[in-house]
Amino acid sequence: MGVEVRTAAVEDVAALVELNKVCFPVMAEENVVWSKRQLTNHIRLFPQGQLVATLDGRIVGACSSLIVHLGDDPYRPHTYAGITDGGYFHNHDPQGDTLYGADVYVHPDCRGEGVGHALYEARRELCQRLKLRRILAGGRLHGYDDYAQKMDVNEYVRAVEDRQIRDLVLSFQLREGFVVRGVLNNYIVDPLSRNHATLIEWLNPDYEGPKHGPRKVRFACVQYQVRGIETFEDFANQVDYFVETAFDYRADFVVFPEFFSVQLLSQKKLRRLPALEGIRRLAELEDEFLGLMRKMATDYGIHIIAGSHPVERNGKLFNVCPVIGTDGGMSLQPKLHITPAEKRYWGISGGDRLDVIATPKAKIGIQICYDIEFPEPSRYLADQGAEIIVVPYCTDDRQGYVRVRTCAQARAIENQVYVVTSGIIGNLPSVPAMDIHYGRAGVFCPSDFEFPRDGIQAEADSNVEMLLVTDLDIDDLYRSRLAGSVRPRHDRRSDLFTFQSRFPHADSADDEERVPMRLPKDSDE
């Protein structure tokens, strides 16, 4: 009576951390209760799944959930760290079919007051509202330690199911309509359960069928040859050719290389300008360049990752990658790490923001050329949920290309993501600092059984103008993260190494305030 359930807010996190410790004192000693960072991440990634129960205005219970896609074998063995991505929920998959119950906890003083039932009921309602197939959870065997000398874990579970033994957790879950599908060994560090858990399931009676088939995304990477042109229309025609070809191949995304728009400086009226003057003149063509990209994205109905283009903001030049959706919506991702040559010749400044861009097909992040040679941005993007990292690059020699390619493949393996690269070829003798190029487009993947043997999804021929087209299976990413031969995302030693980002305004609720380079789809600015 009087129990109310609502979605959790960031302001609740401190109270939830303390409540978790009170509810699980033994596990708190093992340091396997929620942290502030984890709970904040849950709310950011899947706010609907994070619920709190209040009694007389005081938080007395809570539950955490995420959505996963478990494919053809939903009852396969897994661990708590694996299914929750180390407790951070970065593997939350909005396209999945299963609501996974990561935790339910009620203050010991409030047990028997209907708090747990209210939370379970709210979770069932969420599952039905989202039209998901089921709820799965790993249930702690709260009383097994007392019986471990008398019976094995499977016997204990059967005894609880037959009501010969009462288990504080499992008996309650059975009353709530869940059924046991199996026993998970070494599921979590919990002395009371001897690290065992039951795999319990509640099937949604209103489920109407799968939300989607296999999640595959088709990328077309342009190995773009720069050559002298006379007019902007010459440039537009060359770009249009590749976008149209990608459309003909039914690609979802077409990727152009870094600085491919510098080809515009080979127009007769702009040739042989000093490097700094040339790059600023190119920045003045921002509206014309972006207008062309937006028109092609909407006309062809294809996502365009438009390499990069210089833009001026508050007197500073930035090298940014436009990402344009099929509706014309646009985000501009600035390059973070600036090479010595970019600083020396063009006076480019590094950006200070890095976003995961959620598209209907996949969650992507952008790292422009030199950025991929630093592991931190890729780790940040992966931790924010990126499934594909796209790397437009421009390298003048083989050594530069090898740096980009080698690091791209490393980032794919260590973060268990796809990395898509696209580079410039050809030469522009009339444009300072852009005279020669070496490139080879490639798509890299984790190195495991689900993927090509060498961790190379596809790779173009060197220095030949062409379009590299390949399909990426997003479901394979999640299968490898949960049950791969190795699981770098899950097996990180967070007790030894910590990762911290310092992006300004990272916690701002006002997205338009903290993302000054984002353009709405109907903007003419």
Side-chain angles (χ1 to χ4, degrees):
M1 298 292 293
V3 177
E4 296 183 358
V5 177
R6 60 172 173 81
T7 54
V10 173
E11 293 76 19
D12 300 324
V13 167
L16 292 176
V17 169
E18 295 306 314
L19 177 62
N20 208 236
K21 293 177 181 178
V22 171
C23 294
F24 304 118
V26 176
M27 295 174 69
E29 293 179 3
E30 302 288 341
N31 197 32
V32 289
V33 293
W34 295 127
S35 69
K36 179 179 178 181
R37 185 179 173 193
Q38 288 171 324
L39 290 171
T40 301
N41 222 40
H42 301 172
I43 294 170
R44 184 183 63 79
L45 291 170
F46 184 35
Q48 306 100 303
Q50 320 315 316
L51 305 172
V52 297
T54 62
L55 194 60
D56 298 327
R58 181 170 64 100
I59 295 177
V60 294
C63 67
S64 299
S65 308
L66 69 158
I67 297 175
V68 296
H69 182 66
L70 298 175
D72 297 331
D73 187 13
Y75 309 136
R76 63 178 177 266
H78 58 265
T79 66
Y80 186 78
I83 199 72
T84 66
D85 198 6
Y88 284 93
F89 291 10
H90 292 301
N91 58 326
H92 165 69
D93 181 6
Q95 303 299 318
D97 64 356
T98 298
L99 186 67
Y100 196 90
D103 209 356
V104 174
Y105 46 105
V106 177
H107 196 289
D109 295 342
C110 298
R111 289 171 184 162
E113 300 288 335
V115 178
H117 171 74
L119 289 168
Y120 269 70
E121 181 65 22
R123 185 180 272 169
R124 285 189 289 266
E125 291 175 357
L126 176 65
C127 180
Q128 291 177 296
R129 187 168 70 250
L130 297 179
K131 300 182 175 20
L132 300 176
R133 182 190 296 268
R134 63 171 68 84
I135 301 174
L136 277 183
R140 297 173 57 237
L141 294 171
H142 185 274
Y144 178 59
D145 186 54
D146 296 333
Y147 291 85
Q149 300 301 321
K150 306 173 186 177
M151 59 183 69
D152 67 28
V153 64
N154 292 287
E155 293 172 328
Y156 177 81
V157 171
R158 286 194 294 270
V160 176
E161 288 180 300
D162 293 340
R163 300 187 180 181
Q164 298 171 10
I165 296 174
R166 181 180 181 276
D167 182 276
L168 181 64
V169 175
L170 180 55
S171 297
F172 170 77
Q173 292 167 334
L174 294 172
R175 291 197 303 272
E176 288 293 322
F178 283 78
V179 296
V180 176
R181 296 302 188 190
V183 173
L184 300 170
N185 301 312
N186 298 313
Y187 178 72
I188 195 171
V189 178
D190 176 25
L192 295 180
S193 304
R194 296 287 182 100
N195 298 345
H196 300 294
T198 52
L199 180 60
I200 59 171
E201 180 183 45
W202 178 83
L203 290 171
N204 177 6
D206 299 329
Y207 181 67
E208 298 177 349
K211 294 169 61 178
H212 58 79
R215 288 184 60 200
K216 291 194 175 182
V217 185
R218 180 165 294 180
F219 268 78
C221 305
V222 181
Q223 194 150 290
Y224 190 92
Q225 181 173 341
V226 289
R227 54 177 68 87
I229 56 175
E230 296 297 326
T231 64
F232 186 91
E233 286 69 29
D234 292 340
F235 171 76
N237 289 336
Q238 187 175 346
V239 175
D240 183 79
Y241 166 77
F242 283 110
V243 175
E244 181 181 18
T245 304
F247 169 78
D248 289 341
Y249 278 91
R250 301 189 301 279
D252 300 300
F253 292 83
V254 58
V255 183
F256 287 92
E258 178 189 26
F259 276 139
F260 80 113
S261 66
V262 175
Q263 184 181 24
L264 291 168
L265 291 180
S266 68
Q267 297 178 76
K268 186 174 182 180
K269 60 183 178 180
L270 299 176
R271 287 176 193 162
R272 304 196 182 282
L273 291 174
L276 186 56
E277 182 181 351
I279 203 70
R280 290 196 174 274
R281 291 287 297 274
L282 186 62
E284 293 172 3
L285 298 177
E286 176 186 347
D287 291 344
E288 199 170 358
F289 173 76
L290 295 181
L292 173 67
M293 297 299 139
R294 293 176 70 182
K295 185 177 187 305
M296 290 185 182
T298 54
D299 286 351
Y300 288 103
I302 190 170
H303 294 79
I304 296 180
I305 300 175
S308 78
H309 185 82
V311 303
E312 186 172 348
R313 297 290 187 271
N314 300 321
K316 290 185 177 181
L317 282 174
F318 297 93
N319 181 9
V320 305
C321 175
V323 180
I324 306 102
T326 56
D327 63 352
M330 186 184 309
S331 292
L332 302 181
Q333 173 59 58
K335 188 173 184 177
L336 306 184
H337 300 87
I338 308 304
T339 65
E342 285 177 284
K343 294 176 184 177
R344 181 169 65 251
Y345 291 114
W346 291 331
I348 298 287
S349 298
D352 62 2
R353 48 176 303 257
L354 188 60
D355 288 324
V356 171
I357 302 168
T359 76
K361 291 291 185 178
K363 292 172 281 188
I364 67 170
I366 305 294
Q367 289 185 251
I368 303 173
C369 197
Y370 196 28
D371 283 340
I372 199 64
E373 298 180 32
F374 298 84
E376 296 88 354
S378 298
R379 173 58 50 83
Y380 177 83
L381 288 171
D383 283 352
Q384 299 301 309
E387 297 158 331
I388 302 168
I389 294 175
V390 180
V391 183
Y393 69 88
C394 172
T395 52
D396 57 348
D397 54 29
R398 187 179 179 90
Q399 295 96 312
Y401 154 74
V402 168
R403 290 193 295 268
V404 170
R405 184 214 183 276
T406 304
C407 292
Q409 189 164 19
R411 302 295 92 85
I413 291 171
E414 66 197 17
N415 293 295
Q416 293 183 284
V417 296
Y418 290 107
V419 179
V420 176
T421 71
S422 177
I424 280 181
I425 63 171
N427 55 74
L428 288 172
S430 64
V431 180
M434 285 290 287
D435 42 2
I436 60 171
H437 301 93
Y438 188 103
R440 187 183 187 189
V443 180
F444 307 100
C445 56
S447 184
D448 214 331
F449 291 112
E450 290 89 347
F451 308 99
R453 185 193 66 185
D454 296 326
I456 303 170
Q457 182 75 21
E459 204 162 20
D461 297 326
S462 300
N463 294 329
V464 177
E465 188 169 43
M466 63 181 296
L467 192 68
L468 179 69
V469 181
T470 188
D471 288 339
L472 308 182
D473 190 321
I474 304 301
D475 291 335
D476 279 348
L477 284 182
Y478 290 99
R479 281 191 287 269
S480 71
R481 293 176 184 182
L482 287 173
S485 302
V486 294
R487 298 174 299 168
R489 290 176 57 83
H490 301 149
D491 296 337
R492 289 184 287 185
R493 289 293 303 274
S494 58
D495 58 326
L496 299 179
F497 306 99
T498 59
F499 177 79
Q500 183 179 5
S501 61
R502 295 187 177 87
F503 291 108
H505 311 302
D507 298 324
S508 171
D510 186 350
D511 196 59
E512 290 302 320
E513 177 182 332
R514 78 178 184 88
V515 188
M517 290 187 179
R518 177 163 296 166
L519 298 176
K521 64 182 180 181
D522 57 351
S523 173
D524 292 325
E525 297 179 2

